[in-house]
Amino acid sequence: GENVEQHPSTLSVQEGDSAVIKCTYSDSASNYFPWYKQELGKGPQLIIDIRSNVGEKKDQRIAVTLNKTAKHFSLHITETQPEDSAVYFCAASKGNTPLVFGKGTRLSVIA
Amino acid sequence: NAGVTQTPKFQVLKTGQSMTLQCAQDMNHNSMYWYRQDPGMGLRLIYYSASEGTTDKGEVPNGYNVSRLNKREFSLRLESAAPSQTSVYFCASSLAENTGELFFGEGSRLTVL
């Protein structure tokens, strides 16, 4: 089955700097790659997703890139703010199977 | 706008006791899921229900049972709780099977002594 590896497990950045979280997946048939943000005491919430027919997608300060050949995708957060501090999860699926999540990255934005 | 509601939010059990986690969604979603979250392990799928009347095993189904009571409700039962089942449990729903956005509840923290 699908296996999703996520790095780093923890990340600290200064406010205003950029943060990058990377994920690799094993199943070349996977075609949907969402990113979820989990704030303390809450359930995860979708922040951005990308499908395999697109190489990059942006939404204000966040962007996701996908390299199908290398089977990896990344989350980029620019101009980080304290409210970006959270746990971020990447995931992958091939449409007819449930999402498989990475193990998460705890992002701390230091003011 | 309740979204996905889980009960209870906290529960302490003794080894061998049974309990049911309840989940309800008010978004008219077809698919529902139960995940567990453990430190350093991410979110692992226990069971899911693609549509009313169907259930399927996920990655870690042992020790659990589920019931899709109707389109709104999906319950998770621990028949004989074990310390290894100490975890935070999340229910989620989506409009269609295995596609699109998952909407999560706020979680149920279970401790088995």
Side-chain angles (χ1 to χ4, degrees), chain A residues 6-11 20-23 35 86-90 102-107:
Chain A
Q6 182 172 347
H7 299 279
S9 57
T10 59
L11 179 60
V20 180
I21 303 170
K22 299 181 179 181
C23 289
W35 286 89
V87 178
Y88 291 82
F89 292 97
C90 63
K103 293 183 178 178
T105 296
R106 183 175 298 278
L107 174 65

Side-chain angles (χ1 to χ4, degrees), chain B residues 6-113:
Chain B
Q6 294 180 229
T7 56
K9 290 193 180 340
F10 300 95
Q11 184 72 48
V12 178
L13 290 177
K14 294 181 180 178
T15 297
Q17 287 185 319
S18 62
M19 77 157 298
T20 300
L21 298 175
Q22 307 284 358
C23 175
Q25 52 91 8
D26 63 2
M27 296 173 282
N28 201 33
H29 284 172
N30 293 305
S31 302
M32 298 184 73
Y33 312 80
W34 276 106
Y35 288 88
R36 60 178 288 173
Q37 183 176 23
D38 302 293
M41 298 298 292
L43 293 157
R44 293 183 293 169
L45 183 65
I46 304 170
Y47 270 94
Y48 67 103
S49 171
S51 60
E52 188 178 354
T54 69
T55 60
D56 284 286
K57 294 179 180 180
E59 180 185 355
V60 289
N62 291 347
Y64 305 95
N65 285 301
V66 290
S67 295
R68 183 75 182 265
L69 304 170
N70 47 56
K71 190 171 185 179
R72 290 186 63 249
E73 299 172 289
F74 188 39
S75 64
L76 178 72
R77 183 160 178 84
L78 287 70
E79 290 291 352
S80 178
S84 61
Q85 294 178 304
T86 293
S87 188
V88 180
Y89 292 85
F90 287 97
C91 178
S93 69
S94 66
L95 183 59
E97 177 185 0
N98 301 325
T99 59
E101 183 174 0
L102 289 182
F103 292 82
F104 284 87
E106 295 209 330
S108 298
R109 182 175 293 276
L110 175 65
T111 301
V112 183
L113 302 176

Side-chain angles (χ1 to χ4, degrees), chain A residues 49-84:
Chain A
D49 58 9
I50 192 168
R51 297 190 184 271
S52 60
N53 58 344
V54 175
E56 183 176 6
K57 184 176 179 180
K58 289 183 180 179
D59 183 3
Q60 299 183 350
R61 295 187 298 108
I62 60 173
V64 57
T65 58
L66 172 64
N67 183 326
K68 287 180 60 180
T69 303
K71 290 190 284 187
H72 68 69
F73 56 112
S74 300
L75 177 71
H76 305 254
I77 306 173
T78 59
E79 301 173 14
T80 54
Q81 300 169 3
E83 52 265 37
D84 295 328

